[in-house]
Amino acid sequence: MLTGNERKKDILIVRLEGELDHHHAEEIRKSLDELLEDSSIRHLILDLRNLNFMDSSGIGVFIGRYKTISKRGGQVCITNVNPQLARILDVSGLYRILKVYNTVEQAVDGIRGEAV
Amino acid sequence: MNLRNEMRLEFLSRSQNEAFARVAVAAFAAQLDPTLEEIADIKTAVSEAVTNAIIHGYDNPNEYVQLITQIYDDCVVIEVIDHGKGIEDIELARQPLYTSKPELERSGMGFTVMETFMDEVEVNSAPGQGTKVRMVKYIRNDTAETERDE
Ligand SMILES: Nc1ncnc2c1ncn2[C@@H]1O[C@H](COP(=O)(O)OP(=O)(O)O)[C@@H](O)[C@H]1O
Ligand SMILES: [Mg+2]
């Protein structure tokens, strides 16, 4: 489930909540894609603080959105990664394409820092 | 190996049962007093195997997925069984990034996740007959230590 979306100029910040398995993937994918139809969005920050569970279905969702964002020359960042998520992300090699930050603020600063 | 307990579940091949299956196994496995990380590993692996049965094994939501969990002194043994399509080339299917359903944004990492998070993963499958995934997770708690030393 997506909660509390926020815009900071060309950055979209989205909070993921609950469980990202195959059952929930479709809904999350759809909601994200609707938000990303706004072509003024260049970067995406996914805050995983309240994401309690994820399996490899989530990997597909992240890679799909990464493709959209990288076409716009932007970055996908994830924040507040708990140990279970960290292991899935590690196995999947997602750390090579997604940037990881402790907090949303640090992610915003990171994107700004590189954008100069 | 001393079988301490066993449970068998059967549920329809519907995606809302993925969460049910992983939570049920985790609750049952709690008898071995696993760590939070071990529980998370088991839940993730069960989620992968059950999801595969539902989306790859069957192409409709009215078939049954079978889930057997056995508890031994030092490990949990989980079997996820479907009587669906089966796998033609198991070695290929187990390779990282291989998926037969890229159009569904599958990542092809399910088997890799099971292999990473569990101690043993065995796949038996035949085209047209179905698939059985058997996974073992050793639980390294103190009780199990003592009993293994005997
Ligand atoms: N229970 C099953 N029945 C039939 N085919 C399966 C089953 N489980 C896995 N497969 C096959 O193995 C492939 C790899 O599975 P997996 O690693 O979980 O990746 P994904 O689910 O992302 O496709 C699947 O794409 C499918 O072709
Ligand atoms: Mg899978």
Side-chain angles (χ1 to χ4, degrees), chain A residues 50-74:
Chain A
N50 294 317
L51 190 65
N52 304 318
F53 178 85
M54 178 175 132
D55 64 19
S56 74
S57 307
I59 300 171
V61 173
F62 287 2
I63 291 177
R65 283 356 91 198
Y66 168 78
K67 285 181 184 158
T68 309
I69 288 292
S70 59
K71 275 187 206 133
R72 300 179 190 177

Side-chain angles (χ1 to χ4, degrees), chain A residues 17 23-24 38 45 56 61 64 76-77 79 94-95 99 106-107:
Chain A
E17 204 174 282
H23 179 65
H24 294 98
D38 178 347
I45 298 175
S56 74
V61 173
V76 179
C77 305
T79 58
L94 273 185
Y95 282 142
K99 296 223 166 186
Q106 285 171 11

Side-chain angles (χ1 to χ4, degrees), chain A residues 22-23 29 56 65 87, chain B residues 15 18 22 41 48 105:
Chain A
H22 159 249
H23 179 65
R29 180 187 352 249
S56 74
R65 283 356 91 198
R87 296 193 65 210
Chain B
S15 63
E18 291 155 8
R22 63 181 178 255
D41 289 354
E48 296 295 350
E105 275 195 353

